[in-house]
Structures are given as structure tokens and as C-alpha cells.
Amino acid sequence: MRTICSEDHRLHFPQAELHAGQFVTPFERPSRVEYILARLRERGLNDIAAPDPVAMAPIRALCRPDYLAFLEHAWDEWKRAGCAGEIIPASFPARRMNADRAPTNIDGKVGFYALAAETAITAGTWAAALSSAAVAQTAQRIVAGGARAAFALCRPPGHHATADMFGGYCFINNAALAAEAFRADGVARVAVLDIDFHHGNGTQDIFYRRGDVFFASIHGAPEHAFPYYLGYSDETGEGPGEGANLNLPLPPGAGYGPWAEALDAALARIRAFGAEALVVSLGVDAYKDDPISFFTLDSPDFLDAGRRIGRLGLPTLFCMEGGYAIEAIGVNAVNVLEGFLDA
Ligand SMILES: NCCCCCC(=O)NO
Ligand SMILES: [Zn+2]
């Protein structure tokens, strides 16, 4: 299995993340990639390459133009406005306010395009987000070209990003880009399976009214887990997308038993949907020692999960999402890949 990874992920490493009322070193940090690369090499998965240059047209097709312009120019505008620190959202369009018009003021614009306050933007964030998108695009082309699977070692992650919002450490939705690329390649029905602990609200939002891309997510119940405001089981899609969205929320403390049942349910629905290609939003924050999550999966469970996904028999693109138990992230992420290859 070929892995695609860009060194430019290092351009995004904010000084701080707002967590539990304190500014802490961000959980989503460059060393995550190092641990995964080390484990890939340790397990003989040495086929690791840099991405092709980013293709902007698919990103422009996925994201709203004003949002992309915001991401590209936010840092310069922020600095021109005399803001001393990194960009952190502070004012949001709240209930019964006008969420359709972006302010001119950069502080207002930041909150307009943000879905949460933990994710800072720095001077290098735009370039890093584009490099992560290029990683997903390049890995998708490998699968579209006939490979059984490929691993897009994306950083920053993407599954919380919508067409017009960033947050949850995400800026551009890499998995959605890959699903759209499969569609553009002529794959009639594509499935996105999100096994990150957190609901992939961005991916859901992007495909919610679409019947050609099936979205399934296993995640911490939204009444207890970020992103909180999407991810309920009664969200089943709208219009042409009715029935093409499957949320499988699980309660605090859920272990591999119920999690694997949810996975099997998702895989059965993906099979019934008739998917011809699969994108896996590969977050491993369902791990028992993850610092910001509440499932209790252990490392061998990720091997079994990979096997179950592999038995679907679809061309599969793995897009790295979350996972913050840094010492274990390599084992857990690569276990999914090895389980898949073993299926
Ligand atoms: N309090 C913010 C939590 C962000 C979670 C990001 C993530 O791992 N998403 O998959
Ligand atoms: Zn996550």
C-alpha cells in the first residue's frame, strides 16, 4: 500500500489550543505524522511518497469562493489589523443573528467562517491545508489508477471542514475531495466511512443532499462529544440524499463490542448502497487512551476493524483524520491498514 505524505504539514503548528479553559499545546501536532511514518517503516510499509502539486480546481468546486479567499488571506488581514497573536475565533453568528453575511472586520470574519474556537490559524496554515489536500488528491489517483488501496497521511485533517467553515483542527475536507474525485473519475456511487471518534459533520454537510455519495459515521454521541451539534441517528439525508446518511452515535465508555457492531452495520449499508469505491476517514481517537475522547478501543481492535473494512472488497482510500494518543497513533493507524491488507 502506498502512503502519500507532505513535509509541508509542518507549516501548521499553532502555539496554543483553547482546551478546558486553558491554552495548551495543540493535540493536533506535527509529531503525529512522525509516529505514523515510523510505524509504517517498522512494519515494512516503506512505499512512501510526496504528493503531486495541488489541483486547485477541485478545491474551488468543493469550497465556497469566499471561504477559500478567507483562508488564503486571513493571516495577512489579521496582522494588518494589528492583532498580536495567532488567529483564534472569538465572535460567532449566534441564534437569531444573521449568519448569511460575512462582516468586513477580520475578527468578525474569523468567527463567521469558524465552527469552533479551539482551532487557530497561523501564517503557514493555508499552505499546510493545501498540502494536505494534495496528499488526498494524489492518493486518490493511485486508487483510481487501479491500486486496491492507498493511505493519504493527511495533516491537517479535514472531516469537520464544510464548504464554508473550519474547525476541529480542519480547514479543507480531504475525504470529501477524494470522494468527489472518484465521482469525477466516473465512479457512480462512492461511500465515505468515518471511523474517527468525532462525527464528520463537514463530510455529512457536504453530501447531505446527495444520493451518489453515502456517508456513514461511528462517533461519540453528539450530546456528549464534539462537534455536539450534528451526528444524531435521525439525520438520514435530505432530498436526493435521503437514506444516504448513516449516523451511529455511541455513548461514553463504548468498547469494541458495540463499536464493531456499528461498523458491521455501516459496512452492510455501504454494500447495500452499491458503492464502487470507499473513502475511509481514518481517525484513531476511538483509542482507550486518547486524551480528548471517550471510547475504549485497544490497539488490536484496529487490526480487526481493518480486516472488516477489507472484506468489503472495494478500492479504498484511507484519509488520516484524528488521534491524539501520540505514542500509540502509529500502531493504531497502521493496524487498520495491516488488517485491511490481511483481509
Ligand atoms: N475540543 C475540540 C475537539 C476537536 C476534535 C478534533 C478531532 O479529532 N476531530 O476528529
Ligand atoms: Zn477526532
Side-chain angles (χ1 to χ4, degrees):
M1 183 185 304
R2 169 164 288 194
T3 293
I4 303 296
C5 181
S6 170
E7 277 299 302
D8 285 351
H9 76 86
R10 298 176 183 287
L11 298 171
H12 175 71
F13 187 21
Q15 290 173 355
E17 169 181 351
L18 179 57
H19 174 73
Q22 292 183 307
F23 282 103
V24 301
T25 302
F27 292 101
E28 201 294 295
R29 61 188 70 166
S31 58
R32 299 175 63 241
V33 171
E34 300 314 316
Y35 275 87
I36 295 169
L37 288 172
R39 181 66 178 175
L40 286 166
R41 294 186 175 110
E42 196 179 307
R43 301 295 298 164
L45 293 166
N46 299 303
D47 184 2
I48 301 168
D52 301 331
V54 68
M56 284 307 296
I59 295 173
R60 288 196 194 96
L62 181 74
C63 303
R64 248 182 33 199
D66 58 309
Y67 173 56
L68 286 180
F70 161 75
L71 284 180
E72 182 175 7
H73 302 297
W75 181 257
D76 292 344
E77 285 186 47
W78 184 256
K79 286 302 160 189
R80 270 204 309 276
C83 301
E86 296 175 331
I87 299 178
I88 296 176
S91 307
F92 302 87
R95 286 185 194 75
R96 290 173 297 286
M97 296 178 86
N98 186 318
D100 300 325
R101 285 188 293 195
T104 306
N105 175 284
I106 183 61
D107 181 49
K109 262 200 285 196
V110 171
F112 178 82
Y113 290 111
L115 63 88
E118 81 292 302
T119 304
I121 292 175
T122 70
T125 299
W126 172 240
L130 289 181
S131 80
S132 192
V135 165
Q137 291 174 332
T138 305
Q140 184 277 337
R141 278 195 285 272
I142 292 167
V143 179
R148 178 183 174 217
F151 178 32
L153 213 185
C154 291
R155 186 183 172 271
H159 73 146
H160 294 302
T162 66
D164 59 355
M165 287 185 292
F166 74 97
Y169 316 147
C170 301
F171 304 93
I172 298 172
N173 196 313
N174 305 308
L177 265 182
E180 290 285 36
F182 278 120
R183 291 284 299 110
D185 289 338
V187 178
R189 296 166 88 79
V190 179
V192 180
L193 171 65
D194 191 324
I195 62 169
D196 187 285
F197 167 80
H198 302 92
H199 178 249
N201 65 285
T203 315
Q204 171 172 315
D205 186 54
I206 288 165
F207 296 118
Y208 204 61
R209 296 187 53 78
R210 298 257 302 263
D212 55 340
V213 177
F214 186 93
F215 177 67
S217 176
I218 307 164
H219 50 272
E223 53 270 51
H224 301 288
F226 183 92
Y228 301 119
Y229 309 106
L230 210 64
Y232 287 89
S233 55
D234 60 1
E235 297 156 16
T236 56
E238 262 176 22
E242 176 54 50
N245 196 88
L246 174 64
N247 284 329
L248 297 159
L250 295 174
Y256 192 59
W259 194 94
E261 273 176 41
L263 177 60
D264 286 345
L267 295 171
R269 286 286 300 276
I270 289 168
R271 188 178 289 110
F273 172 73
E276 299 158 280
L278 177 66
V279 177
V280 177
S281 270
L282 177 55
V284 289
D285 32 9
Y287 180 57
K288 63 187 174 67
D289 296 334
D290 194 273
I292 62 169
S293 309
F294 56 53
F295 288 164
T296 60
L297 274 65
D298 202 349
S299 297
D301 297 328
F302 290 99
L303 264 173
D304 185 69
R307 282 194 198 98
R308 292 176 193 232
I309 295 168
R311 284 199 283 270
L312 207 51
L314 289 177
T316 301
L317 173 70
F318 292 92
C319 271
M320 195 66 208
E321 301 285 357
Y324 310 102
I326 305 274
E327 289 70 24
I329 190 173
V331 170
N332 293 336
V334 177
N335 271 2
V336 174
L337 306 181
E338 290 195 83
F340 176 91
L341 292 171
D342 187 40

